[in-house]
Amino acid sequence: MSTKTAPAAAALKQITHLAAALKAPRITESATRLAEHARDAGWTHEDYLAAVLEREVAARNASGAQLRIRAAGLAAAKTLDDFDFEHQPAARTPVQALASGAWLAEHRNVVLLGPPGTGKTHLATALGIAAARTGHRVLFATANEWVTRLSEAHQRGRLEAELTRLRRYPLIIVDEVGYLPFEQDAANLFFQLVSSRYEHASLILTSNLPFSSWAGVFRDQVVAAAMIDRIVHHADVIALKGASYRLRDRGIDTLPSIKAEQDSLH
């Protein structure tokens, strides 16, 4: 071993030991890969150190994002890049404005309204993934699944504790509001979920029904009105229109009731 390479090998061994102590084993790989380039390019010690640490932070962020995405319970890995905005051109600008996640810091909500198959769940999922990638914890479930969860907590005498725990998630996604009507107890639990997050944390909700039809879902005009008031006070409401994506290659232009639902969204 030459006199030049011996100190480098010793330094690399020390870096490996220190990286393991810091529980950052990827630092060794980055340090080794960048060392020769740094010498050839005449980097300062500060440049080299910054480059190594930058790669470690990027790797940790990517790893953390994947953990948050898996923990969110998202139905599928769908992104905004995958979405066909040609099918929903009016949604492009408002949705892309949400991609940065800045709205989460303001505890705003997003409501996606439209007939089945128009991309509501895709967009909700994509915004959830974008939020997870920017460091936010996310949870996804259908409206009925959320009610079941809260009902079980209520039966155990843990409803307030569960609502408090959920408030620690900057974003929860409630899919399929309105697909099935709620009994009164379920409607009250859902109202408590919405109220507990009002001006504290964000919601994304998807629904096949306009707000004017929510009284039928919750079987109580007063509860529905109070809930809608809290949801839309700080919210971006995006209406999706047109025929179902899932039917576009099957020679079927529409589904029963879609025209009535579309007319009600105007």
Side-chain angles (χ1 to χ4, degrees), residues 153-202:
H154 180 60
Q155 291 169 10
R156 298 193 307 269
R158 298 282 300 164
L159 179 59
E160 287 302 319
E162 179 67 3
L163 292 172
T164 299
R165 192 181 74 82
L166 290 175
R167 272 201 303 275
R168 299 191 188 109
Y169 285 79
L171 174 62
I172 68 171
I173 301 171
V174 184
D175 199 25
E176 299 180 354
V177 176
Y179 280 76
L180 294 172
F182 289 156
E183 298 296 333
Q184 184 174 357
D185 288 346
N188 289 335
L189 287 171
F190 194 79
F191 176 75
Q192 289 188 64
L193 175 64
V194 170
S195 295
S196 73
R197 299 184 68 78
Y198 176 60
E199 297 188 332
H200 291 285
S202 296

Side-chain angles (χ1 to χ4, degrees), residues 217-239:
V217 175
F218 296 100
R219 308 200 183 197
D220 188 315
Q221 181 70 47
V222 174
V223 169
M227 189 179 316
I228 292 167
D229 180 65
R230 285 163 174 77
I231 291 169
V232 304
H233 183 207
H234 307 293
D236 294 277
V237 181
I238 302 172

Side-chain angles (χ1 to χ4, degrees), residues 31 33-44 47-48:
R33 189 170 60 250
L34 290 172
E36 186 173 351
H37 176 73
R39 284 190 291 267
D40 292 342
W43 287 5
T44 65
D47 291 336
Y48 174 59

